[in-house]
Amino acid sequence: MDNKKNTYGLLVLVLVLLVGILLIYLKLPNLSQVKIDYDTQVKYASELKDNKLYKEAIEEYDKILNHLSLDKNNQANLNYIIGNLYFENLKDYEKAASRYIKARMLNPKGNLVSDINKKLIACYENLGRSLDAQRELESATALNKPKKEKPSKE
């Protein structure tokens, strides 16, 4: 009877150790992947784009967005690049619009906003969503208008 208890206890211990090792292995970053820096990864994604491997380039840009800590400006720029890939190369206007909106949200006062607004309008037009295009146009032009001063009460 003691032999069975010892065997059972040993079996439970081995099982617990194996589960523990498995959990540790799953939590650790993949050791076979070499960590590369931002510039190298962007260069690689750009090279894929230049070689007309647009879907693969998008995957690499997404890896950068998901695995590196970037400031909002860099996140906006990468989303803008991905939007352009969807818009200009893959003609996927819904995904392009999504990326343009995200880029604008991340950097609403950035230097790309004017171009993002134009491309967003073009996305809606290509999708046959003229009302959305009109709304976006009105919103974009309202942002560029100087605010009227209220007459002073004297």
Side-chain angles (χ1 to χ4, degrees), residues 70-79 103 105-108:
L70 304 175
D71 62 29
K72 286 187 178 187
N73 186 51
N74 281 335
Q75 290 178 46
N77 289 340
L78 290 178
N79 275 289
M105 180 200 71
L106 288 165
N107 194 359

Side-chain angles (χ1 to χ4, degrees), residues 19-29:
V19 168
I21 290 170
L22 180 63
L23 288 174
I24 291 171
Y25 177 76
L26 292 175
K27 288 281 187 185
L28 290 176

